[in-house]
């Protein structure tokens, strides 16, 4: 991920994603269904073919993904990436990469959403373990999240989805101060900087243009096990 205060516009972040090709119980290959609580996320499809399944209070949808497609969704959208043929995506994330740094709750069955410790035990990937063990855990949590996702998709009435929303909010509540600090450093600071620049231009003050700079960055890690696939990530804050 590259965070906004390190150079990308507007306090966004980016990662490169190769969507999992692991088949699930329903015969579909793809990633782990989950939801973001405060961040929008966008996909720029760079290769392959697939789809994103989404579930909101408005219902279930499937959006095809082919090279050149740009798709995005707002907080509260449960999403599951489907890999039909080597799907590769550049992911754009709001709030300096917060979606990959905590602003996500997997659609685990309710028994795993009772408290942060229970949830963490079911979702944590042991980063110091051999790659084979990391993959085993990533696949197991994907399959567990699909169990809860299917129950939400098949549910009658709005209450099961509303209950998931409430459980997700309770799980992340201890981290809200950390999230707010990231937003203050990133997206809010970027918006305030634009306001200051407009004010200075209005006064005829162009001295800030002399502070122009160029930044570039290579991925800090390749092939990290993410929620939806293997990630090439950039150094975030």
């Amino acid at each position: 991920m590259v965070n906004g205060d390190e150079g990308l516009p507007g306090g966004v972040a980016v990662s490169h994603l190769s969507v999992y090709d692991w088949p699930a119980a329903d015969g579909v290959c793809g990633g782990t269904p989950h939801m973001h609580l405060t961040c929008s996320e966008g996909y720029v499809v760079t290769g392959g073919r697939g789809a994103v399944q989404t579930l909101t209070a408005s219902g279930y949808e499937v959006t095809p993904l082919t090279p050149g497609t740009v798709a995005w969704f707002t907080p509260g959208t449960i999403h599951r990436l489907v890999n039909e043929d080597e799907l590769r995506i550049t992911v754009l994330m709001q709030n300096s990469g917060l979606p990959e740094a905590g602003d996500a709750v997997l659609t685990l069955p309710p028994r795993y959403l009772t408290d942060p410790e229970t949830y963490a035990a079911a979702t944590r990937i042991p980063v110091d373990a051999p790659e084979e063990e990391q993959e085993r855990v990533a696949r197991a949590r994907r399959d567990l999240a699909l169990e809860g996702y299917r129950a939400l998709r098949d549910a009658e009435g709005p209450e099961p989805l509303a209950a998931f929303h409430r459980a997700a909010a309770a799980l992340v509540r201890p981290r809200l101060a950390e999230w707010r600090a990231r937003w203050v450093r990133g997206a809010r600071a970027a918006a305030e900087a634009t306001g200051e620049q407009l004010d200075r231009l209005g006064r005829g003050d162009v001295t800030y243009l002399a502070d122009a700079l160029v930044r570039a960055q290579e991925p800090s890690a390749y092939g990290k096990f993410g929620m939806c696939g293997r990630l090439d990530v950039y150094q975030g804050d």
Side-chain angles (χ1 to χ4, degrees), residues 8 18 22 44 48 53 60 66 68 102 109 125 131 137 142-143 147 154-155 159 169 200 203 213:
L8 284 182
S18 297
W22 307 329
V44 181
Q53 300 176 354
Y60 171 74
T66 57
I125 293 179
E131 183 169 307
V137 174
R142 189 279 307 267
D143 293 341
E147 179 185 333
D154 297 341
E159 177 52 28
R200 292 175 71 172
R203 299 192 301 268
L213 52 82

Side-chain angles (χ1 to χ4, degrees), residues 48-148:
R49 181 171 53 87
V52 58
Q53 300 176 354
T54 56
L55 180 64
T56 68
S58 298
Y60 171 74
E61 295 184 45
V62 178
T63 301
L65 300 176
T66 57
T69 299
V70 178
W72 64 95
F73 40 84
T74 58
T77 303
I78 295 172
H79 48 289
R80 177 199 187 188
L81 273 172
V82 173
N83 185 356
E84 297 172 356
D85 181 21
E86 298 185 352
L87 181 60
R88 298 185 304 280
I89 293 171
T90 295
V91 183
L92 303 176
M93 294 168 284
Q94 194 177 8
N95 295 321
S96 306
L98 187 57
E100 283 290 346
D103 175 36
V105 173
L106 278 56
T107 55
L108 303 185
R111 63 186 181 277
Y112 295 97
L113 305 175
T114 54
D115 61 84
E117 293 75 20
T118 301
Y119 176 82
T123 58
R124 185 183 298 112
I125 293 179
V127 295
D128 296 328
E131 183 169 307
E132 295 78 6
E133 175 62 11
Q134 293 186 45
E135 178 175 331
R136 185 195 68 78
V137 174
R139 291 186 70 152
R141 76 172 186 180
R142 189 279 307 267
D143 293 341
L144 192 61
L146 283 171
E147 179 185 333

